Amino acid sequence: MKQCGKNVSLHPSSSVYFGLNNLSLGNNVSIPRFSHIFCTDAPLTIGNNVIFGPAPTIVTDNHRIDVIGKPIFRSYDKLSENDAPVIIKDDVWVGAHVTILKEVIIGRGSVIAAGSVVNKPTPPYSINVGIPAKTIKFRFTIDEILEHERILYPENERYTREELEKIFAETKLKNSSK
């Protein structure tokens, strides 16, 4: 493994891991049985205090589908854009049977509902549901996030009110335009 924190729970005998050299785990991480972790050509970084429900799938790479005369079965002449990191920030709960695809950053404090497919970044402290996953609301108000962060994080790592107001405003604009 690239990095492994303290108090990490893995179930290698009932899970599938490819690319352990690209896997970084923080402290207090629980990866359950029947997990499928594929990070062969791009890194997967999981922060601190992250818990997964049963059978998550995380994929940082992809196959080429544009090569004429060669089957998809094998990856030929892989391109850098076929692979991209996945980052799961601190204090995240990923529900049962969730799939997280390349180029995703799960924001700090987020929740991903069971059965969701995450194919784009999620805002911090958001609750995300569906296929593809969409932010349906935030766990806390801005004042509650500020208090939560004051208790859990050093001052230089906390979100500011201005940052949170911007995140909330951008998320509302995206969801109201669909």
Side-chain angles (χ1 to χ4, degrees):
M1 227 181 268
K2 191 173 190 177
Q3 177 183 333
C4 186
K6 296 176 183 171
N7 194 29
V8 170
S9 173
L10 297 172
H11 298 275
S13 64
S14 61
S15 297
V16 177
Y17 297 93
F18 288 110
L20 283 175
N21 59 314
N22 279 323
L23 178 59
S24 297
L25 303 175
N27 298 319
N28 307 314
V29 173
S30 176
I31 299 180
R33 296 184 321 166
F34 311 116
S35 299
H36 292 85
I37 307 291
F38 302 102
C39 52
T40 52
D41 295 325
L44 167 58
T45 304
I46 299 174
N48 299 309
N49 305 308
V50 176
I51 188 167
F52 291 86
T57 299
I58 305 172
V59 181
T60 68
D61 55 354
N62 213 342
H63 294 280
R64 286 200 59 186
I65 60 171
D66 63 341
V67 180
I68 296 170
K70 293 184 181 177
I72 294 174
F73 178 73
R74 298 274 187 229
S75 292
Y76 296 96
D77 306 318
K78 209 146 172 59
L79 302 172
S80 60
E81 61 262 24
N82 297 133
D83 308 305
V86 169
I87 300 170
I88 301 172
K89 303 277 184 141
D90 296 344
D91 190 25
V92 168
W93 175 25
V94 177
H97 299 278
V98 167
T99 299
I100 301 171
L101 301 175
K102 68 177 189 164
E103 291 186 289
V104 165
I105 299 172
I106 306 288
R108 179 163 69 207
S110 292
V111 174
I112 310 298
S116 295
V117 175
V118 187
N119 64 353
K120 59 184 134 190
T122 69
Y125 296 99
S126 60
I127 298 176
N128 304 274
V129 177
I131 302 172
K134 297 196 181 337
T135 300
I136 59 166
K137 66 181 192 175
F138 289 91
R139 286 178 55 198
F140 306 123
T141 65
I142 289 174
D143 287 334
E144 290 169 333
I145 292 171
L146 292 170
E147 179 63 12
H148 183 76
E149 296 242 324
R150 185 190 65 74
I151 295 167
L152 293 179
Y153 298 101
E155 189 171 354
N156 64 331
E157 293 180 22
R158 297 179 202 156
Y159 283 101
T160 66
R161 177 174 296 281
E162 294 75 25
E163 289 170 323
L164 291 169
E165 287 171 351
K166 182 178 178 188
I167 290 165
F168 272 52
E170 288 173 352
T171 302
K172 281 185 180 179
L173 289 175
K174 283 184 199 174
N175 290 338
S176 65
S177 66
K178 294 183 180 174

